[in-house]
Amino acid sequence: MQPTYPTRKTIRLPGYDYSKDGAYFITVCIHQRRCFLGNIVQDCMQLNGAGKMVQSFWNSIPTYYVGVSLDAFQIMPNHLHGILLFNRDTLSKEDRLPLSAIINRFKTITTRQYIDGVRQNTWRAFDEKLWQRNYYENIIRNEEALYLAREYIINNSKNWSKDKMYYTNA
């Protein structure tokens, strides 16, 4: 007998083409909100080795995906926020990976690198699941929304204790 699994509700906008040009505000969370990426010290994020690895891979996204560029970005102890800009009008529809594929590859590669760090006793052990199952995204529809998203990201470390992702663990 096949096991039955609960049906996951999608948090994506029904019918929206997430491979089309535009700006996307992304939030990716560490599994169980564990603080693996560093600490907030005097309102500033201090990345540890794992946080630096995640940042390095995020910064390399444009080298892997033609027509994808980075905007504001902030790593927090247990999540990250970033804005991805898609300008891929010169690519055929078949060559435009959707947002979900880019984020899933980001999560897969950083998880593998984190596992390597654990094996070398560089980073804290975990249950082989670095990131939460999904991610959050907002489609940025105009300049005002882009400005507000940037402001939120830039000020996130200053507002850490008020953040809904706030969680501390040693």
Side-chain angles (χ1 to χ4, degrees):
M1 186 166 139
Q2 291 275 344
T4 58
Y5 298 101
T7 305
R8 279 197 303 173
K9 277 173 82 174
T10 183
I11 58 175
R12 307 291 163 244
L13 183 62
Y16 188 82
D17 178 1
Y18 283 92
S19 67
K20 74 188 239 185
D21 288 353
Y24 301 93
F25 176 13
I26 310 300
T27 301
V28 185
C29 301
I30 295 289
H31 182 64
Q32 298 176 339
R33 294 188 186 175
R34 299 187 70 188
C35 296
F36 283 166
L37 305 177
N39 295 300
I40 301 293
V41 178
Q42 296 179 341
D43 293 339
C44 292
M45 180 62 191
Q46 302 295 314
L47 297 175
N48 60 19
K52 289 175 184 173
M53 174 272 295
V54 168
Q55 183 174 36
S56 176
F57 190 75
W58 183 268
N59 289 337
S60 73
I61 286 175
T63 63
Y64 294 103
Y65 305 104
V66 174
V68 177
S69 58
L70 307 176
D71 199 287
F73 173 71
Q74 176 66 55
I75 293 179
M76 298 296 289
N78 61 9
H79 66 284
L80 65 86
H81 297 294
I83 298 173
L84 294 177
L85 305 172
F86 287 12
N87 184 8
R88 306 181 295 175
D89 57 355
T90 60
L91 298 177
S92 69
K93 186 155 177 75
E94 297 78 34
D95 291 334
R96 296 180 190 195
L97 282 176
L99 178 63
S100 60
I102 294 169
I103 299 302
N104 287 338
R105 287 180 181 181
F106 168 81
K107 289 165 63 173
T108 298
I109 291 168
T110 54
T111 298
R112 286 182 187 151
Q113 290 183 0
Y114 193 92
I115 289 169
D116 289 345
V118 170
R119 287 184 181 140
Q120 297 167 13
N121 293 318
T122 304
W123 299 326
R124 290 175 41 193
F126 71 118
D127 62 2
E128 304 288 319
K129 185 173 182 178
L130 183 60
W131 302 104
Q132 282 185 0
R133 187 176 193 177
N134 217 328
Y135 65 94
Y136 302 96
E137 85 357 87
N138 288 318
I139 302 162
I140 299 174
R141 291 185 168 92
N142 56 47
E143 286 297 318
E144 180 182 0
L146 180 58
Y147 173 81
L148 292 172
R150 285 175 177 150
E151 286 295 305
Y152 179 83
I153 291 169
I154 291 166
N155 292 311
N156 202 229
S157 60
K158 294 176 192 159
N159 298 316
W160 174 232
S161 65
K162 299 176 217 153
D163 193 303
K164 68 181 179 179
M165 299 292 179
Y166 177 71
Y167 180 79
T168 58
N169 59 311

